[in-house]
Every structure is written in C-alpha cells, then in structure tokens.
Amino acid sequence: MEKLASLLHAYNIEPPFYAEPIGSGLIHKTWKVRTAATEYVLQQINHNVFTKPGDIEYNNNLLEGYLKQYHDNYLIVFPLADMKGKKLVRIEGFFYRLFPFVKDSHTIQCVETADQAYEAASQFGRFTSMFSGMQVKKLRITIPGFHDLRLRYRQFLTALKKGNAKRITFAKEPIQKLLRYSFIEEEYRFIQSHPDFKVRVTHHDTKISNVLFNDYNEGICVIDLDTVMPGYFISDLGDMMRTYLSAANEDETDFEKIIIRKEMYKAIKNGYLNEMKDELTKTETDSFYYSGKFIIYMQAIRFLTDYLNNDTYYGAQYENQNYDRAGNQIVLLEQYLNMEKILSR
Ligand code: GN1
Ligand code: MG
C-alpha cells in the first residue's frame, strides 16, 4: 500500500484510492485503480521478459507521436506522464506505468460470437493500417526474435538437450509430435525469404482480451502495445486464429472441448481484410490459412520449451501446467490441420 501511495504520488494522485488486480496476462501484473474522481489501469512490467522497459516507452512515444501527426482521431491509450513527464516510473527496482481507464469499456476472455471475432480482427487490422506510412524500422525490438519461429524451434531443440531430464522423458509424446510438425517451421523459412511478405507495424498479441469493447459489443480499441514491433501479418492474424477459433482456451485441460468454429475463421478473415485488403500482397492473402498453423505451432513449442526449462518464462500454477498447455495447443493444431480443406476454401 505504501508503495502504491508513492507510485501514485509521482502522478500527483493522492489518497483515498483503491486498487484491485485485473487482467489475465501471463507476463505483467495489472491493477485497476479507483480514486474519487476517476479510474486508471496500473501495470508492473515484467523486466525478466522485457529487459529494456525503456524501449517500450520509446516505442509508445514514437507511435503516439505518429498518430498525433497523421491520425489524430484514432482512439488508443498510451501511458500517462508523471509529474516529471516520465511515462515509466521506477520504484524499488520495478517499472510501472499508469493508463487512463477507458470509460464504459470492458474486456472479454472468450470469443462467443462471430461478431466479436469480426470486431477484434477489424481493430487489429486497423491498428496496423494506421501506421502504414511509418518507417517501421524506427521501432525498437522489445523482445528479440519474439515471433521468429526458427529461433523458437532452435530453443526447443536446445531444451531437448539441456532441459530437465525427467521432464524430457515425461514429455516424450508431445516432443515427438512437435518434431513431426517441423514442416511448419520450414514453411516459415520460405516466408522469411519471400519479398512479397512485408514487414509492418505488428501488434504480436492479438488475443481477445487485448481489445476493449463497449456495451454494444463493438470494438473500441486495442491495448497492450508492449510487443508492437516490426513483424509479419501472419503473427497477428495467426494469434487470432489460435485464440478465437475454439471456445476452450489454452488452459483448458479437457481437450475434447477444443473444437474449431468455422464461422470464427470467416469472421477473423473478413474483419481483418476489411481494414487490410489494400495493404496485403496477393502472396500474403494466399497465406491466411498458414498464419494459424504458424502461431499455434509456435505457441505449443513455447509452452513445451518452458516446461522443459522448468517454467522459468510463463510460470505455472501447478506442476504440469505448461505441459498441459502445450498438449492443448497440439490438439488445437491437429484440429486445425484436419480442417485445412474446409477452412482454406
Ligand atoms: C503472453 O502476458 P500475455 O498474456 O500478454 C505472451 C504471448 C503469448 C501468451 C500466451 C511477452 O502474453 O506471446 O501468446 O502469453 N507474451 C509474451 O497466453 O511472451
Ligand atoms: Mg501481452
């Protein structure tokens, strides 16, 4: 509480205030702060993952400045400046930032209707299209190799050699599966070397809880800009496939519940295209289906690698959670592969 008081004091916010944890992210800690006058979102940055929090601040300022100049009406939230004009506050070795709470907004944890998927996909497409005139190279890389499937695959192979031996034996089955599906990584090499795949301002975390909705279920804006970096559109489209297609999320341990909803695929595609059709090359639109394989496979690899490395990245609320998450994503991948003909039609 004392820490919270000195933190808010930096923003000239004095007691009384009330803070409660919100959000479902695996990386940062987030709270909603209420004062008599208004509401905020406070977030502590995980600096084991984002080792240079100043780079996040740098990117935010760059994006904010660009929007001010070219798309002043586009709604999006950036961190507030403290009394010294800093948008990142350091207290006792931790980094925090404070956001205004968007009035009458809420987040959803699970896509229930195709309209929600369409709205979210339009929001993420719109986000990238807003920055189409920006020099993407100006953005700093907040997590090196974040969505580089070749790197993720190499990290997986390293974990197979150097990881927890007991866990490697226990995870024999998912390991074999992920090795068998390595053709997905090979396809990625093709994309990396193909001139038609453009590098754009990419969000890199397009789960449904990173979109704010209003009471009429319309998307208001996207949030969580920490992983906004140069990237390929398959990252954003693919993470929507990964997280909207099935009603069961990555923590579901009853894998029978992982069922792909065809209508969601259509809604993601239409919503995204609605904003991005003029930006994408023909080769890129031909890779819509691939984007789902790409991200679901990468997430399965990331969860299993973390399991083999003793959960140092994602953490775990119970012993085999990352093993279960990897198993969940493998089932999702298999369902997705089984539906290739139907989905990519
Ligand atoms: C992490 O913390 P959160 O929920 O925003 C991760 C994403 C994963 C996701 C899986 C920086 O996102 O890449 O897809 O967990 N973010 C980082 O739930 O690693
Ligand atoms: Mg995130």
Side-chain angles (χ1 to χ4, degrees):
M1 205 57 194
E2 228 171 77
K3 196 166 166 185
L4 181 66
S6 53
L7 191 58
L8 295 179
H9 181 71
Y11 294 88
N12 203 18
I13 300 169
E14 305 301 338
F17 39 70
Y18 178 74
E20 59 172 331
I22 52 163
S24 54
L26 301 182
I27 303 297
H28 297 321
K29 285 186 187 157
T30 313
W31 299 266
K32 184 169 178 180
V33 175
R34 290 198 185 92
T35 68
T38 186
E39 293 174 327
Y40 303 93
V41 172
L42 177 70
Q43 201 167 45
Q44 180 189 309
I45 296 183
N46 180 332
H47 59 252
N48 294 322
V49 170
F50 293 93
T51 52
K52 291 185 191 157
D55 284 356
I56 299 180
E57 192 191 13
Y58 178 92
N59 283 352
N60 276 330
N61 287 336
L62 196 73
L63 298 170
E64 193 173 7
Y66 182 86
L67 290 175
K68 246 192 203 121
Q69 195 172 353
Y70 297 103
H71 300 285
D72 205 19
N73 289 329
Y74 177 66
L75 180 77
I76 189 153
V77 271
F78 288 104
L80 297 164
D82 74 356
M83 299 291 281
K84 292 183 196 146
K86 293 281 297 169
K87 293 176 181 169
L88 188 66
V89 171
R90 189 184 169 147
I91 287 192
E92 293 171 15
F94 289 96
F95 294 88
Y96 299 86
R97 59 271 162 86
L98 190 71
F99 298 88
F101 184 89
V102 178
K103 221 172 159 299
D104 298 325
S105 71
H106 67 272
T107 52
I108 54 179
Q109 300 305 318
C110 170
V111 175
E112 272 155 13
T113 68
D115 283 348
Q116 292 170 335
Y118 181 92
E119 283 291 314
S122 313
Q123 284 294 334
F124 285 114
R126 183 136 192 257
F127 174 78
T128 290
S129 77
M130 280 293 138
F131 296 100
S132 62
M134 194 177 110
Q135 267 183 293
V136 63
K137 275 196 186 142
K138 285 187 172 172
L139 284 170
R140 292 198 178 151
I141 309 294
T142 53
I143 301 181
F146 186 48
H147 276 195
D148 180 351
L149 185 53
R150 292 179 73 174
L151 173 73
R152 296 298 184 187
Y153 190 70
R154 280 203 304 274
Q155 290 171 333
F156 171 56
L157 296 182
T158 305
L160 290 183
K161 285 196 203 119
K162 299 191 176 156
N164 178 327
K166 250 195 193 156
R167 286 188 169 195
I168 293 173
T169 310
F170 182 75
K172 198 171 149 212
E173 200 185 313
I175 289 171
Q176 276 171 356
K177 283 192 172 172
L178 291 182
L179 291 172
R180 202 175 325 131
Y181 296 135
S182 65
F183 61 87
I184 299 171
E185 188 253 359
E186 278 157 34
E187 286 176 87
Y188 177 66
R189 294 179 193 208
F190 168 79
I191 287 182
Q192 265 191 324
S193 60
H194 200 300
D196 282 0
F197 282 87
K198 299 264 183 306
V199 174
R200 302 187 179 83
V201 175
T202 304
H203 186 281
H204 285 114
D205 194 8
T206 57
K207 63 175 86 165
I208 197 69
S209 56
N210 279 338
V211 177
L212 297 184
F213 283 88
N214 67 17
D215 294 342
Y216 308 99
N217 264 317
E218 294 159 341
I220 304 176
C221 66
V222 307
I223 55 170
D224 189 3
L225 306 182
D226 301 343
T227 51
V228 172
M229 285 181 269
Y232 297 118
F233 88 102
I234 51 170
S235 279
D236 284 359
L237 196 73
D239 206 35
M240 291 191 252
M241 309 267 185
R242 181 180 82 82
T243 53
Y244 309 173
L245 290 182
S246 160
N249 73 16
E250 65 199 20
D251 279 318
E252 178 60 64
T253 51
D254 179 356
F255 296 167
E256 305 236 314
K257 290 192 182 147
I258 303 171
I259 296 161
I260 301 227
R261 300 170 294 184
K262 217 171 63 195
E263 71 275 19
M264 298 303 176
Y265 185 91
K266 241 201 221 149
I268 296 168
K269 192 169 159 181
N270 292 341
Y272 195 75
L273 270 184
N274 183 33
E275 300 289 339
M276 283 291 286
K277 59 178 175 307
D278 298 335
E279 301 281 333
L280 298 172
T281 62
K282 162 91 172 61
T283 321
E284 286 176 319
T285 30
D286 287 345
S287 299
F288 265 44
Y289 175 75
Y290 175 73
S291 71
K293 283 199 276 184
F294 167 67
I295 289 286
I296 300 168
Y297 180 61
M298 181 156 62
Q299 194 62 57
I301 281 190
R302 290 178 66 196
F303 281 142
L304 199 62
T305 303
D306 196 36
Y307 176 72
L308 302 178
N309 291 338
N310 297 320
D311 313 312
T312 47
Y313 188 85
Y314 285 115
Q317 280 147 346
Y318 64 91
E319 167 78 16
N320 284 348
Q321 187 170 23
N322 284 315
Y323 171 87
D324 285 345
R325 284 170 171 156
N328 167 309
Q329 297 290 288
I330 289 171
V331 171
L332 181 65
L333 178 65
E334 288 171 342
Q335 303 268 5
Y336 189 77
L337 292 174
N338 285 341
M339 284 181 70
E340 169 154 16
K341 280 219 176 85
I342 300 167
L343 295 179
S344 59
R345 209 166 25 217

